[in-house]
Amino acid sequence: MSDADDRIEIQSITSPHHVQRVNRARYMAMRNALLPVLPETGPGVTVAEAKAALLEHLSPELFPGGAKAGWWLKAVQLDLEAKGVIARGSAKPVRLYRCR
């Protein structure tokens, strides 16, 4: 696999025209851990609740001891929000849920 294949382009709902290239394996691992812990309807779960629930599902090789999980969670969250896969509720703190 080439270096280009090891990376994936992500967006951010807060900067819609900015594209960032990140590690594909870590992105997919976090995405695959995050989506199942989010409910299908609002108001959703807080980011802290989502992180606590997904940590046990992360690869110890990619996230040893949960290292960098917070950064990757936020990167995947913002990308999935930009793509309309997940949404945030209107209440504070931020609560996330899957879109139908």
Side-chain angles (χ1 to χ4, degrees):
M1 202 181 269
S2 72
D3 287 342
D5 292 336
D6 292 343
R7 304 192 70 72
I8 189 170
E9 288 186 352
I10 63 171
Q11 303 168 309
S12 173
I13 196 164
T14 60
S15 302
H17 301 293
H18 179 74
V19 175
Q20 185 174 0
R21 294 183 56 76
V22 298
N23 180 279
R24 179 183 302 274
R26 287 191 177 158
Y27 175 91
M28 293 306 296
M30 181 57 72
R31 183 184 193 279
N32 291 337
L34 175 61
L35 287 175
V37 303
L38 298 181
E40 291 185 6
T41 59
V45 297
T46 66
V47 176
E49 291 168 338
K51 182 179 178 186
L54 67 79
L55 282 175
E56 67 185 75
H57 302 289
L58 292 176
S59 162
E61 291 81 29
L62 295 174
F63 299 96
K68 307 282 184 189
W71 186 91
W72 282 97
L73 171 57
K74 183 53 89 175
V76 170
Q77 171 203 331
L78 294 174
D79 181 58
L80 294 179
E81 280 186 87
K83 292 175 176 160
V85 176
I86 66 174
R88 61 176 78 186
S90 58
K92 300 281 181 182
V94 171
R95 292 180 164 277
L96 305 172
Y97 60 94
R98 285 181 281 153
C99 295
R100 293 185 184 153

